[in-house]
Amino acid sequence: MENIVLIGFMGCGKTTIGREIASLGGRFLLDTDQIIEQNMGKSIKEIFQSVGESGFRRIESQLILWLGANVKNAVIATGGGMAVYNDISYLGKVFWLDVRFDSILERLDSIQRDKRPLFHNIPQAKQLYNERKKIYEKKAQYRVNGSASIAEIARQIVEYMERESNGL
């Protein structure tokens, strides 16, 4: 079965929704940021501090190559910039979780914001959100209203994949 690839801005719920999809559809969830953290032995924040954003993006590119060659029937929750800087279309069906910036801010507490280096400056993060939104729209095969409930979003994506596999 084809992978489900979730894209969207930081804090839009990719990992949470991915976990729900995995439980519904008999798939495993792979969170790319968690895989990178585990592999590097550092947090994303620490990786950004030690190798900068360009170094982090190189690490992401290596992970994409590995995922493309080795992973099937998974839910892949990408980091917020992964789809922006890389071609992820060959990893599986790409779903964009479209959530308003204000809603993302409401969801994130200070600890969650601190884990995301690009969220330290809110006006700059909003500008980045607006720039990336256009890219997500172009890269996604399917747009999902990320403001719906976790269960509803997961159900929609699983149903879409079932229709696709049945040729409907």
Side-chain angles (χ1 to χ4, degrees), residues 44-96:
I44 298 299
K45 183 179 178 179
E46 291 168 329
I47 296 168
F48 265 74
Q49 289 170 344
S50 65
V51 299
E53 185 173 4
S54 62
F56 177 76
R57 299 301 173 200
R58 280 192 300 277
I59 295 166
E60 275 187 330
S61 295
Q62 293 169 344
L63 177 56
I64 290 169
L65 292 173
W66 183 84
L67 289 169
N70 294 290
V71 174
K72 299 287 180 243
N73 197 34
V75 180
I76 301 171
T78 65
M82 185 177 268
V84 173
Y85 296 98
N86 300 281
D87 178 11
I88 58 164
S89 61
Y90 64 93
L91 292 179
K93 287 285 182 199
V94 180
F95 292 84
W96 168 35

Short mmCIF file of all heavy atoms in Angstrom, two decimals, residues 44-96:
data_model
loop_
_atom_site.label_atom_id
_atom_site.label_comp_id
_atom_site.label_asym_id
_atom_site.label_seq_id
_atom_site.Cartn_x
_atom_site.Cartn_y
_atom_site.Cartn_z
N ILE A 44 15.78 19.04 17.47
CA ILE A 44 15.78 19.85 16.26
C ILE A 44 16.41 21.21 16.55
O ILE A 44 17.23 21.71 15.77
CB ILE A 44 14.34 20.02 15.70
CG1 ILE A 44 13.74 18.67 15.30
CG2 ILE A 44 14.32 21.00 14.53
CD1 ILE A 44 14.48 17.91 14.22
N LYS A 45 16.07 21.78 17.69
CA LYS A 45 16.64 23.07 18.08
C LYS A 45 18.16 23.00 18.15
O LYS A 45 18.86 23.87 17.64
CB LYS A 45 16.05 23.50 19.42
CG LYS A 45 16.51 24.85 19.91
CD LYS A 45 15.85 25.20 21.23
CE LYS A 45 16.33 26.53 21.75
NZ LYS A 45 15.68 26.90 23.00
N GLU A 46 18.68 21.93 18.76
CA GLU A 46 20.13 21.77 18.87
C GLU A 46 20.78 21.54 17.51
O GLU A 46 21.89 22.02 17.25
CB GLU A 46 20.47 20.60 19.81
CG GLU A 46 20.13 20.86 21.26
CD GLU A 46 20.20 19.61 22.12
OE1 GLU A 46 19.95 18.49 21.61
OE2 GLU A 46 20.50 19.76 23.32
N ILE A 47 20.09 20.80 16.63
CA ILE A 47 20.62 20.57 15.28
C ILE A 47 20.71 21.90 14.53
O ILE A 47 21.73 22.20 13.89
CB ILE A 47 19.77 19.53 14.52
CG1 ILE A 47 19.85 18.17 15.21
CG2 ILE A 47 20.23 19.43 13.06
CD1 ILE A 47 18.84 17.15 14.72
N PHE A 48 19.66 22.71 14.62
CA PHE A 48 19.68 24.02 13.97
C PHE A 48 20.84 24.86 14.51
O PHE A 48 21.53 25.54 13.75
CB PHE A 48 18.35 24.76 14.20
CG PHE A 48 17.35 24.62 13.09
CD1 PHE A 48 16.65 23.43 12.91
CD2 PHE A 48 17.08 25.67 12.24
CE1 PHE A 48 15.72 23.30 11.90
CE2 PHE A 48 16.15 25.55 11.22
CZ PHE A 48 15.46 24.36 11.05
N GLN A 49 21.06 24.79 15.81
CA GLN A 49 22.14 25.58 16.43
C GLN A 49 23.52 25.09 15.99
O GLN A 49 24.43 25.89 15.81
CB GLN A 49 22.03 25.53 17.96
CG GLN A 49 20.86 26.31 18.50
CD GLN A 49 20.61 26.08 20.00
OE1 GLN A 49 21.10 25.13 20.59
NE2 GLN A 49 19.81 26.96 20.59
N SER A 50 23.68 23.79 15.80
CA SER A 50 25.00 23.26 15.47
C SER A 50 25.32 23.27 13.98
O SER A 50 26.46 23.52 13.60
CB SER A 50 25.18 21.85 16.05
OG SER A 50 24.29 20.95 15.44
N VAL A 51 24.33 23.01 13.12
CA VAL A 51 24.62 22.94 11.67
C VAL A 51 23.83 23.94 10.85
O VAL A 51 23.98 24.00 9.62
CB VAL A 51 24.41 21.51 11.10
CG1 VAL A 51 25.34 20.51 11.78
CG2 VAL A 51 22.96 21.07 11.22
N GLY A 52 22.97 24.72 11.50
CA GLY A 52 22.18 25.72 10.79
C GLY A 52 21.04 25.08 10.01
O GLY A 52 20.91 23.85 9.95
N GLU A 53 20.22 25.95 9.41
CA GLU A 53 19.09 25.43 8.65
C GLU A 53 19.54 24.65 7.43
O GLU A 53 18.97 23.60 7.11
CB GLU A 53 18.13 26.56 8.24
CG GLU A 53 16.89 26.01 7.57
CD GLU A 53 15.82 27.03 7.28
OE1 GLU A 53 16.02 28.23 7.52
OE2 GLU A 53 14.75 26.61 6.79
N SER A 54 20.56 25.11 6.73
CA SER A 54 21.01 24.41 5.52
C SER A 54 21.51 23.00 5.86
O SER A 54 21.25 22.05 5.13
CB SER A 54 22.07 25.20 4.78
OG SER A 54 23.22 25.37 5.58
N GLY A 55 22.22 22.86 7.00
CA GLY A 55 22.66 21.54 7.42
C GLY A 55 21.49 20.64 7.78
O GLY A 55 21.49 19.44 7.45
N PHE A 56 20.50 21.22 8.44
CA PHE A 56 19.31 20.45 8.79
C PHE A 56 18.59 19.99 7.53
O PHE A 56 18.14 18.84 7.45
CB PHE A 56 18.36 21.29 9.66
CG PHE A 56 17.09 20.57 10.00
CD1 PHE A 56 17.08 19.58 10.96
CD2 PHE A 56 15.91 20.89 9.35
CE1 PHE A 56 15.89 18.91 11.27
CE2 PHE A 56 14.73 20.23 9.65
CZ PHE A 56 14.72 19.23 10.61
N ARG A 57 18.48 20.85 6.52
CA ARG A 57 17.79 20.48 5.27
C ARG A 57 18.54 19.37 4.54
O ARG A 57 17.91 18.51 3.90
CB ARG A 57 17.61 21.70 4.37
CG ARG A 57 16.76 22.81 4.99
CD ARG A 57 15.37 22.38 5.35
NE ARG A 57 14.67 23.43 6.09
CZ ARG A 57 13.62 23.24 6.85
NH1 ARG A 57 13.12 22.04 7.01
NH2 ARG A 57 13.05 24.26 7.47
N ARG A 58 19.87 19.34 4.63
CA ARG A 58 20.64 18.23 4.03
C ARG A 58 20.30 16.91 4.73
O ARG A 58 20.16 15.87 4.08
CB ARG A 58 22.14 18.51 4.10
CG ARG A 58 22.64 19.46 3.03
CD ARG A 58 24.17 19.48 2.94
NE ARG A 58 24.82 19.90 4.18
CZ ARG A 58 25.00 21.17 4.55
NH1 ARG A 58 24.59 22.15 3.77
NH2 ARG A 58 25.60 21.44 5.69
N ILE A 59 20.18 16.97 6.05
CA ILE A 59 19.82 15.77 6.81
C ILE A 59 18.42 15.31 6.38
O ILE A 59 18.19 14.10 6.17
CB ILE A 59 19.88 16.04 8.33
CG1 ILE A 59 21.32 16.35 8.76
CG2 ILE A 59 19.30 14.87 9.12
CD1 ILE A 59 21.44 16.95 10.15
N GLU A 60 17.49 16.24 6.24
CA GLU A 60 16.14 15.89 5.77
C GLU A 60 16.19 15.22 4.40
O GLU A 60 15.49 14.23 4.17
CB GLU A 60 15.27 17.15 5.65
CG GLU A 60 14.61 17.60 6.90
CD GLU A 60 13.64 18.75 6.66
OE1 GLU A 60 13.84 19.56 5.74
OE2 GLU A 60 12.66 18.83 7.43
N SER A 61 16.99 15.76 3.50
CA SER A 61 17.10 15.19 2.15
C SER A 61 17.59 13.75 2.19
O SER A 61 17.09 12.90 1.44
CB SER A 61 18.05 16.03 1.29
OG SER A 61 17.53 17.31 1.09
N GLN A 62 18.56 13.47 3.05
CA GLN A 62 19.06 12.11 3.20
C GLN A 62 17.96 11.18 3.72
O GLN A 62 17.83 10.04 3.26
CB GLN A 62 20.26 12.08 4.14
CG GLN A 62 21.48 12.78 3.59
CD GLN A 62 22.57 12.97 4.64
OE1 GLN A 62 22.34 12.86 5.85
NE2 GLN A 62 23.76 13.28 4.18
N LEU A 63 17.18 11.68 4.66
CA LEU A 63 16.08 10.88 5.21
C LEU A 63 15.04 10.59 4.13
O LEU A 63 14.53 9.47 4.03
CB LEU A 63 15.43 11.59 6.41
CG LEU A 63 14.23 10.88 7.03
CD1 LEU A 63 14.57 9.46 7.47
CD2 LEU A 63 13.69 11.69 8.19
N ILE A 64 14.73 11.58 3.31
CA ILE A 64 13.75 11.38 2.23
C ILE A 64 14.21 10.27 1.29
O ILE A 64 13.41 9.40 0.90
CB ILE A 64 13.50 12.69 1.46
CG1 ILE A 64 12.74 13.67 2.34
CG2 ILE A 64 12.75 12.43 0.16
CD1 ILE A 64 12.68 15.07 1.79
N LEU A 65 15.48 10.27 0.93
CA LEU A 65 16.01 9.22 0.06
C LEU A 65 15.85 7.85 0.71
O LEU A 65 15.45 6.88 0.06
CB LEU A 65 17.48 9.49 -0.28
CG LEU A 65 17.75 10.70 -1.16
CD1 LEU A 65 19.26 10.94 -1.26
CD2 LEU A 65 17.13 10.53 -2.53
N TRP A 66 16.15 7.77 2.00
CA TRP A 66 16.04 6.50 2.71
C TRP A 66 14.57 6.05 2.78
O TRP A 66 14.26 4.89 2.51
CB TRP A 66 16.62 6.62 4.12
CG TRP A 66 16.58 5.32 4.85
CD1 TRP A 66 17.47 4.30 4.78
CD2 TRP A 66 15.53 4.87 5.72
NE1 TRP A 66 17.06 3.25 5.57
CE2 TRP A 66 15.87 3.57 6.15
CE3 TRP A 66 14.34 5.44 6.17
CZ2 TRP A 66 15.07 2.83 7.01
CZ3 TRP A 66 13.54 4.69 7.03
CH2 TRP A 66 13.91 3.41 7.45
N LEU A 67 13.67 6.98 3.13
CA LEU A 67 12.25 6.64 3.22
C LEU A 67 11.73 6.15 1.87
O LEU A 67 11.00 5.15 1.80
CB LEU A 67 11.43 7.85 3.68
CG LEU A 67 11.60 8.29 5.13
CD1 LEU A 67 10.93 9.65 5.35
CD2 LEU A 67 11.07 7.26 6.10
N GLY A 68 12.09 6.86 0.80
CA GLY A 68 11.62 6.48 -0.53
C GLY A 68 12.07 5.09 -0.94
O GLY A 68 11.34 4.37 -1.62
N ALA A 69 13.25 4.70 -0.52
CA ALA A 69 13.79 3.39 -0.90
C ALA A 69 13.32 2.26 0.01
O ALA A 69 13.33 1.10 -0.40
CB ALA A 69 15.32 3.44 -0.88
N ASN A 70 12.89 2.59 1.23
CA ASN A 70 12.68 1.53 2.22
C ASN A 70 11.31 1.44 2.87
O ASN A 70 11.04 0.47 3.57
CB ASN A 70 13.72 1.69 3.35
CG ASN A 70 15.12 1.46 2.85
OD1 ASN A 70 15.49 0.34 2.53
ND2 ASN A 70 15.89 2.54 2.74
N VAL A 71 10.45 2.43 2.70
CA VAL A 71 9.22 2.47 3.49
C VAL A 71 7.97 2.40 2.60
O VAL A 71 7.85 3.14 1.63
CB VAL A 71 9.18 3.75 4.37
CG1 VAL A 71 7.85 3.87 5.09
CG2 VAL A 71 10.33 3.75 5.35
N LYS A 72 7.06 1.51 2.97
CA LYS A 72 5.76 1.38 2.31
C LYS A 72 4.70 1.20 3.39
O LYS A 72 4.98 0.69 4.47
CB LYS A 72 5.73 0.17 1.37
CG LYS A 72 6.73 0.24 0.25
CD LYS A 72 6.32 1.26 -0.79
CE LYS A 72 7.31 1.34 -1.92
NZ LYS A 72 7.96 2.63 -2.04
N ASN A 73 3.47 1.59 3.08
CA ASN A 73 2.32 1.38 3.97
C ASN A 73 2.48 2.08 5.32
O ASN A 73 2.09 1.55 6.35
CB ASN A 73 2.06 -0.12 4.17
CG ASN A 73 0.68 -0.37 4.72
OD1 ASN A 73 -0.26 0.34 4.43
ND2 ASN A 73 0.55 -1.39 5.54
N ALA A 74 3.05 3.27 5.30
CA ALA A 74 3.25 4.04 6.54
C ALA A 74 2.54 5.37 6.43
O ALA A 74 2.12 5.78 5.35
CB ALA A 74 4.74 4.25 6.79
N VAL A 75 2.44 6.03 7.57
CA VAL A 75 2.03 7.43 7.61
C VAL A 75 3.30 8.21 7.93
O VAL A 75 3.95 7.94 8.93
CB VAL A 75 0.97 7.70 8.71
CG1 VAL A 75 0.57 9.17 8.71
CG2 VAL A 75 -0.24 6.81 8.54
N ILE A 76 3.65 9.13 7.05
CA ILE A 76 4.86 9.92 7.24
C ILE A 76 4.45 11.35 7.57
O ILE A 76 3.88 12.05 6.74
CB ILE A 76 5.74 9.89 5.97
CG1 ILE A 76 6.14 8.45 5.63
CG2 ILE A 76 6.98 10.78 6.16
CD1 ILE A 76 6.83 8.28 4.29
N ALA A 77 4.73 11.75 8.80
CA ALA A 77 4.46 13.12 9.25
C ALA A 77 5.76 13.90 9.04
O ALA A 77 6.77 13.63 9.69
CB ALA A 77 4.05 13.14 10.72
N THR A 78 5.73 14.84 8.11
CA THR A 78 6.94 15.57 7.76
C THR A 78 7.14 16.78 8.65
O THR A 78 6.19 17.30 9.24
CB THR A 78 6.88 16.07 6.30
OG1 THR A 78 5.82 17.02 6.17
CG2 THR A 78 6.66 14.91 5.34
N GLY A 79 8.38 17.25 8.72
CA GLY A 79 8.65 18.53 9.35
C GLY A 79 8.05 19.63 8.48
O GLY A 79 7.82 19.44 7.29
N GLY A 80 7.79 20.79 9.08
CA GLY A 80 7.11 21.87 8.38
C GLY A 80 7.77 22.34 7.11
O GLY A 80 7.11 22.78 6.17
N GLY A 81 9.10 22.25 7.02
CA GLY A 81 9.80 22.72 5.84
C GLY A 81 10.19 21.63 4.86
O GLY A 81 10.66 21.92 3.76
N MET A 82 9.98 20.38 5.22
CA MET A 82 10.44 19.29 4.37
C MET A 82 9.86 19.37 2.96
O MET A 82 10.58 19.24 1.97
CB MET A 82 10.12 17.94 5.00
CG MET A 82 10.69 16.76 4.20
SD MET A 82 10.40 15.17 5.00
CE MET A 82 11.91 15.03 5.95
N ALA A 83 8.56 19.60 2.86
CA ALA A 83 7.93 19.67 1.53
C ALA A 83 8.32 20.95 0.78
O ALA A 83 8.27 20.99 -0.45
CB ALA A 83 6.41 19.60 1.66
N VAL A 84 8.71 21.96 1.51
CA VAL A 84 9.08 23.24 0.91
C VAL A 84 10.41 23.11 0.17
O VAL A 84 10.58 23.62 -0.93
CB VAL A 84 9.16 24.35 1.98
CG1 VAL A 84 9.70 25.64 1.41
CG2 VAL A 84 7.79 24.57 2.62
N TYR A 85 11.35 22.40 0.77
CA TYR A 85 12.71 22.33 0.25
C TYR A 85 13.03 21.05 -0.51
O TYR A 85 14.13 20.92 -1.04
CB TYR A 85 13.71 22.49 1.41
CG TYR A 85 13.61 23.84 2.06
CD1 TYR A 85 12.88 24.01 3.23
CD2 TYR A 85 14.21 24.95 1.49
CE1 TYR A 85 12.78 25.26 3.84
CE2 TYR A 85 14.11 26.20 2.07
CZ TYR A 85 13.39 26.34 3.25
OH TYR A 85 13.28 27.59 3.82
N ASN A 86 12.10 20.11 -0.56
CA ASN A 86 12.38 18.81 -1.18
C ASN A 86 11.19 18.32 -1.99
O ASN A 86 10.05 18.67 -1.71
CB ASN A 86 12.66 17.78 -0.08
CG ASN A 86 13.84 18.12 0.77
OD1 ASN A 86 14.97 17.93 0.37
ND2 ASN A 86 13.59 18.67 1.95
N ASP A 87 11.48 17.45 -2.94
CA ASP A 87 10.44 16.75 -3.67
C ASP A 87 10.04 15.53 -2.85
O ASP A 87 10.86 14.62 -2.64
CB ASP A 87 10.94 16.31 -5.04
CG ASP A 87 9.91 15.53 -5.83
OD1 ASP A 87 8.73 15.49 -5.42
OD2 ASP A 87 10.28 14.95 -6.87
N ILE A 88 8.84 15.54 -2.36
CA ILE A 88 8.37 14.41 -1.54
C ILE A 88 7.28 13.61 -2.25
O ILE A 88 6.75 12.67 -1.70
CB ILE A 88 7.85 14.89 -0.17
CG1 ILE A 88 6.73 15.90 -0.35
CG2 ILE A 88 8.97 15.47 0.67
CD1 ILE A 88 5.90 16.14 0.86
N SER A 89 6.99 13.98 -3.48
CA SER A 89 5.86 13.37 -4.20
C SER A 89 6.02 11.86 -4.37
O SER A 89 5.02 11.14 -4.39
CB SER A 89 5.67 14.03 -5.56
OG SER A 89 6.82 13.86 -6.37
N TYR A 90 7.23 11.38 -4.48
CA TYR A 90 7.44 9.94 -4.68
C TYR A 90 7.34 9.13 -3.39
O TYR A 90 7.42 7.91 -3.41
CB TYR A 90 8.76 9.67 -5.40
CG TYR A 90 9.98 10.07 -4.62
CD1 TYR A 90 10.63 9.15 -3.81
CD2 TYR A 90 10.49 11.36 -4.70
CE1 TYR A 90 11.75 9.52 -3.08
CE2 TYR A 90 11.61 11.73 -3.98
CZ TYR A 90 12.23 10.81 -3.18
OH TYR A 90 13.34 11.18 -2.47
N LEU A 91 7.16 9.82 -2.25
CA LEU A 91 7.04 9.09 -0.98
C LEU A 91 5.65 8.50 -0.78
O LEU A 91 5.48 7.58 0.02
CB LEU A 91 7.36 10.02 0.20
CG LEU A 91 8.80 10.48 0.34
CD1 LEU A 91 8.94 11.40 1.55
CD2 LEU A 91 9.76 9.31 0.44
N GLY A 92 4.64 9.03 -1.46
CA GLY A 92 3.28 8.53 -1.30
C GLY A 92 2.27 9.61 -1.64
O GLY A 92 2.61 10.61 -2.27
N LYS A 93 1.04 9.41 -1.22
CA LYS A 93 -0.02 10.41 -1.42
C LYS A 93 0.21 11.54 -0.43
O LYS A 93 0.32 11.31 0.78
CB LYS A 93 -1.41 9.81 -1.17
CG LYS A 93 -1.87 8.89 -2.26
CD LYS A 93 -2.28 9.68 -3.48
CE LYS A 93 -2.78 8.72 -4.54
NZ LYS A 93 -2.79 9.30 -5.85
N VAL A 94 0.26 12.76 -0.95
CA VAL A 94 0.59 13.91 -0.12
C VAL A 94 -0.67 14.67 0.26
O VAL A 94 -1.41 15.15 -0.61
CB VAL A 94 1.58 14.84 -0.86
CG1 VAL A 94 1.93 16.05 0.01
CG2 VAL A 94 2.86 14.08 -1.24
N PHE A 95 -0.90 14.78 1.57
CA PHE A 95 -2.06 15.47 2.13
C PHE A 95 -1.58 16.71 2.88
O PHE A 95 -0.73 16.60 3.77
CB PHE A 95 -2.81 14.56 3.12
CG PHE A 95 -3.48 13.39 2.48
CD1 PHE A 95 -2.77 12.23 2.21
CD2 PHE A 95 -4.82 13.43 2.14
CE1 PHE A 95 -3.38 11.14 1.61
CE2 PHE A 95 -5.45 12.35 1.56
CZ PHE A 95 -4.72 11.20 1.28
N TRP A 96 -2.15 17.86 2.53
CA TRP A 96 -1.82 19.11 3.20
C TRP A 96 -2.86 19.38 4.29
O TRP A 96 -4.05 19.48 4.01
CB TRP A 96 -1.80 20.24 2.19
CG TRP A 96 -1.75 21.63 2.76
CD1 TRP A 96 -1.09 22.04 3.89
CD2 TRP A 96 -2.38 22.78 2.23
NE1 TRP A 96 -1.27 23.38 4.08
CE2 TRP A 96 -2.06 23.87 3.07
CE3 TRP A 96 -3.18 23.02 1.12
CZ2 TRP A 96 -2.53 25.16 2.84
CZ3 TRP A 96 -3.63 24.30 0.89
CH2 TRP A 96 -3.31 25.36 1.75
#
